[in-house]
Amino acid sequence: MKGISTAVEACLKIDGLISINPYSSSIDAELTPLVLWQYIRSNKKQITLFGDDSWFSQGNNLSVTFNGVGSKYQYQLKALTLGMYTQGSGQGMDPLAWSSIRITIANLKRLAKWLERYGIESFDDLYQLPELRLRNIILDLVQASDLQKHSSFAQSLLNAIYWLKLYSVVKNEQFYDLMNEYFLPFTLLKKERRNKHSVIPIQIMKQVLKASEEHVNAAEKIIDNWHSLQTKLNDGVEYAPKKHLKNSTYVDGLNESESAELDEYYELIKNVRRYTFVLVVSYTGMRYSEAMALTDDSAIERNGKYFIKTLLSKTTDETQSLEWVTNEVTYRAVKLLTRVCSVYRERAALLLKHHSDLLPRNRKLNLEFGLSNRTLFGVSPHKKSCEFSLNTKSTKNAFNNINKMFSIRVTEHDIAELERMGCNYESVSSNHKKFKKPYKVGDFFNFTAHQFRHTFAWFIVANRLGDLDDIKYQYKHLENMMSLVYSQRGYESMEELIGLTESFSEFMILASNGRYGERSTRRHASRKRRTKFYRQVNGDTG
């Protein structure tokens, strides 16, 4: 972290508030060769220098880019990136997620490119511009951006310039006033057009959870036998034929019947990772990125209650641990997958110990990556070899593509349920070929990981198992307003049947009486009043 600390000290002034130190060519030249990150990235060494056009932070497969604008803008964008990555909105505050930083910098770079057309070489030059010229530049940007069609850019840009103000990069208040004047109306247009993320209909969710739980149960029955066979393979790594290791990490040491037995177990074990992912997002409400960041020791049992632990890593040596309430089957699934991971991590260590000189460079780096980046979902299970992956982004062919796991057709009842909640469409992504297209009876339901998060919040509220504070706690929201977005459908659909499946209902009830209950005792009276109010709103006097 020494390189990042040096860069932060050079670029930022931190004294409670945060501001960017002025650009100078000498400081920029001094910082250019500074190493910010140095680590193994999947199967190659990644070294990121301050002067690079693209920055790859550790644990992220996507970069923040700074190319295409002048040196002053690049310096300011890099300083902002360092500030958001290490400090967040103020000294001692939580840093931003890398994905959020990427979006913010991309929008600020787009603004910088536009300003360069008018001879403006840095953001702080906006301080001197007269109102009329500033107004014309912003109005030209509005017209060129076609915000009637691309209204989402208005909100994205306003979110991005918030950081220019927060870090005192642009000290001209008139700039922010004019940006709001011209862009704010289009953010309202975006809200009018906004589609709610779909929740998963009850009967479909029931099938998903049942299949996931059954798979975990089946894998648990054979895990001891599978583990014994894999341990035997690991025991033979030292004596593995060298001819295989020149091109792969393949090892063998089983007889014909043992190999046949291992083949029988392969599909069950290979898919443990998939079904564990489904259970984690179903029974915690985690975001995709949060689930992918889980480590091997994530499952916790305490006094008969179950939790999944996440770690928020900062740029210091400290990490912040968060616990998500979950249920027994998810706890068991994570423990099961951890046991699977341990086999391949042991194999990686043995291969490096005994055959490091034989392995191809990319294979060797991949093994080193797997031992240093111990993410729960980062192990790719093979019968007799060893491989690790970084699943930063969900792709069509990724293990966690839920649509490859489940092909469930929607029924008339499912469609009626989606219609009642205002989300009967196959996709909310404008890039999807079925964007805003309503389901018809017999269509396959289109799953996304984020739907599970919304479904979880909806179920909590719709079945009166919690309130905004509970969702805020479970989802780690900083603001109640964000929790309200997730729970809104619950207030709109209080009449929905309680019970996706027995296990889902039991989990929610136990959670509400357990961890939620521990936090909620002191709010019991106010909750009763709120519940009574919601019942009255829905005509329920019981």
Side-chain angles (χ1 to χ4, degrees):
M1 300 303 171
K2 183 179 178 182
I4 292 178
S5 300
T6 301
V8 168
E9 289 176 8
C11 294
L12 302 175
K13 180 182 178 182
I14 303 172
D15 53 2
L17 298 176
I18 303 173
S19 58
I20 292 178
N21 291 326
Y23 168 85
S24 74
S25 56
S26 60
I27 291 178
D28 196 37
E30 184 179 332
L31 289 174
T32 293
L34 188 67
V35 176
L36 299 180
W37 292 278
Q38 184 172 351
Y39 61 96
I40 298 170
R41 181 174 154 222
S42 186
N43 60 359
K44 67 178 183 179
K45 283 190 176 179
Q46 178 67 52
I47 299 175
T48 298
L49 308 179
F50 182 90
D52 289 345
D53 287 339
S54 298
W55 285 3
F56 289 90
S57 71
Q58 189 160 356
N60 291 286
N61 208 24
L62 300 173
S63 65
V64 175
T65 62
F66 310 100
N67 59 320
V69 292
S71 57
K72 291 182 180 180
Y73 280 119
Q74 286 199 26
Y75 168 80
Q76 291 176 327
L77 292 173
K78 288 176 179 180
L80 283 165
T81 300
L82 289 170
M84 289 185 278
Y85 184 76
T86 62
Q87 309 298 321
S89 58
Q91 188 175 9
M93 302 297 287
D94 290 332
L96 265 67
W98 190 249
S99 57
S100 300
I101 295 172
R102 288 184 73 245
I103 294 170
T104 300
I105 295 301
N107 283 295
L108 290 177
K109 189 172 75 169
R110 182 173 174 179
L111 176 61
K113 286 182 178 180
W114 183 259
L115 295 174
E116 283 184 327
R117 296 184 177 194
Y118 300 85
I120 300 168
E121 296 182 351
S122 69
F123 288 121
D124 46 16
D125 288 349
L126 292 170
Y127 182 69
Q128 305 293 337
L129 290 186
E131 179 185 349
L132 183 59
R133 187 169 183 228
L134 191 56
R135 188 180 288 273
N136 286 334
I137 291 171
I138 294 172
L139 183 57
D140 288 348
L141 177 59
V142 170
Q143 294 171 342
S145 301
D146 191 8
L147 295 181
Q148 281 288 345
K149 183 178 180 180
H150 305 290
S151 57
S152 59
F153 173 61
Q155 184 65 64
S156 297
L157 188 56
L158 289 181
N159 290 343
I161 67 168
Y162 161 82
W163 293 93
L164 296 180
K165 185 171 186 177
L166 190 69
Y167 281 20
S168 299
V169 183
V170 179
K171 298 178 181 178
N172 186 351
E173 287 295 326
Q174 203 167 59
F175 166 71
Y176 302 108
D177 291 341
L178 290 172
M179 287 294 291
N180 281 324
E181 178 183 334
Y182 285 107
F183 280 84
L184 199 57
F186 293 99
T187 68
L188 300 176
L189 182 62
K190 177 180 180 293
K191 290 178 181 177
E192 289 176 9
R193 296 173 177 173
R194 178 180 176 269
N195 289 314
K196 300 176 183 177
H197 275 279
S198 173
V199 297
I200 303 170
I202 288 174
Q203 294 305 317
I204 292 177
M205 188 70 171
K206 179 177 180 179
Q207 295 176 62
V208 167
L209 293 173
K210 182 180 179 182
S212 300
E213 293 175 21
E214 286 178 347
H215 191 93
V216 170
N217 293 338
E220 284 179 327
K221 292 177 181 178
I222 58 93
I223 186 65
D224 288 340
N225 292 343
W226 176 87
H227 192 270
S228 296
L229 293 170
Q230 292 290 351
T231 299
K232 186 173 181 180
L233 285 176
N234 284 353
D235 290 341
V237 166
E238 183 177 356
Y239 312 103
K242 299 184 184 302
K243 62 179 181 179
H244 294 312
L245 299 174
K246 291 181 180 179
N247 299 309
S248 72
T249 55
Y250 178 86
V251 295
D252 201 359
L254 303 181
N255 59 41
E256 189 174 335
S257 64
E258 288 171 333
S259 292
E261 185 180 1
L262 193 61
D263 288 345
E264 290 178 19
Y265 301 148
Y266 177 64
E267 287 298 322
L268 265 178
I269 296 299
K270 183 185 76 169
N271 290 321
V272 164
R273 186 167 62 149
R274 285 181 158 188
Y275 288 102
T276 299
F277 169 71
V278 170
L279 290 169
V280 166
V281 294
S282 295
Y283 287 113
T284 65
M286 284 186 189
R287 298 177 182 88
Y288 173 85
S289 59
E290 290 164 337
M292 288 302 102
L294 292 177
T295 54
D296 289 349
D297 59 348
S298 297
I300 299 172
E301 186 273 331
R302 190 185 301 120
N303 300 323
K305 297 174 185 175
Y306 303 97
F307 307 92
I308 302 296
K309 179 180 68 176
T310 59
L311 296 176
L312 294 181
S313 297
K314 299 185 180 181
T315 55
T316 65
D317 293 330
E318 299 176 358
T319 55
Q320 181 182 357
S321 176
L322 299 174
E323 292 181 2
W324 302 67
V325 181
T326 192
N327 67 339
E328 184 186 7
V329 69
T330 307
Y331 167 82
R332 284 169 32 222
V334 172
K335 293 291 283 187
L336 184 68
L337 184 55
T338 298
R339 192 172 177 188
V340 171
C341 291
S342 67
V343 164
Y344 295 102
R345 297 207 202 279
E346 180 185 5
R347 183 168 300 161
L350 290 168
L351 284 165
L352 290 172
K353 178 181 178 180
H354 298 294
H355 306 291
S356 180
D357 57 328
L358 286 175
L359 292 167
R361 186 173 184 274
N362 63 332
R363 296 279 182 172
K364 180 180 175 181
L365 288 172
N366 182 256
L367 299 183
E368 292 175 356
F369 166 76
L371 292 175
S372 62
N373 190 63
R374 305 177 77 88
T375 54
L376 181 70
F377 295 105
V379 173
S380 302
H382 293 287
K383 290 179 186 177
K384 297 180 179 180
S385 58
C386 190
E387 185 183 9
F388 303 93
S389 60
L390 182 62
N391 305 291
T392 303
K393 189 176 182 181
S394 181
T395 61
K396 184 178 180 180
N397 296 318
F399 82 91
N400 46 32
N401 181 348
I402 303 170
N403 287 309
K404 283 197 169 184
M405 300 170 62
F406 303 105
S407 297
I408 302 176
R409 296 184 185 276
V410 296
T411 65
E412 194 172 323
H413 183 273
D414 297 328
I415 292 173
E417 192 175 326
L418 292 170
E419 289 284 359
R420 284 198 300 275
M421 290 182 279
C423 56
N424 180 28
Y425 29 73
E426 296 193 45
S427 177
V428 295
S429 172
S430 58
N431 297 323
H432 198 281
K433 63 181 180 181
K434 295 184 178 180
F435 174 56
K436 287 187 177 181
K437 183 178 178 181
Y439 283 106
K440 303 186 302 295
V441 173
D443 287 342
F444 289 111
F445 188 77
N446 181 38
F447 291 96
T448 68
H450 207 67
Q451 290 167 344
F452 289 85
R453 185 171 170 85
H454 282 264
T455 303
F456 187 94
W458 160 73
F459 193 81
I460 290 174
V461 177
N463 294 295
R464 303 180 176 95
L465 296 172
D467 56 20
L468 286 182
D469 288 334
D470 294 319
I471 294 172
K472 179 180 175 182
Y473 175 81
Q474 178 74 354
Y475 281 24
K476 321 307 177 198
H477 285 156
L478 295 178
E479 302 293 341
N480 277 336
M481 185 55 67
M482 183 57 71
S483 301
L484 182 59
V485 170
Y486 282 91
S487 60
Q488 181 183 5
R489 281 199 203 89
Y491 296 127
E492 294 171 349
S493 57
M494 300 290 278
E495 75 282 0
E496 290 297 333
L497 294 175
I498 294 179
L500 294 173
T501 64
E502 280 189 20
S503 56
F504 198 61
S505 300
E506 288 170 3
F507 159 59
M508 296 306 306
I509 293 164
L510 286 171
S512 65
N513 292 333
R515 186 58 175 265
Y516 297 152
E518 291 170 8
R519 297 178 56 256
S520 303
T521 300
R522 60 183 179 275
R523 302 193 308 271
H524 181 66
S526 61
R527 180 179 297 173
K528 284 184 69 177
R529 289 193 295 272
R530 285 196 294 271
T531 301
K532 182 178 180 181
F533 168 73
Y534 294 131
R535 284 176 173 168
Q536 290 171 343
V537 167
N538 288 276
D540 179 5
T541 57

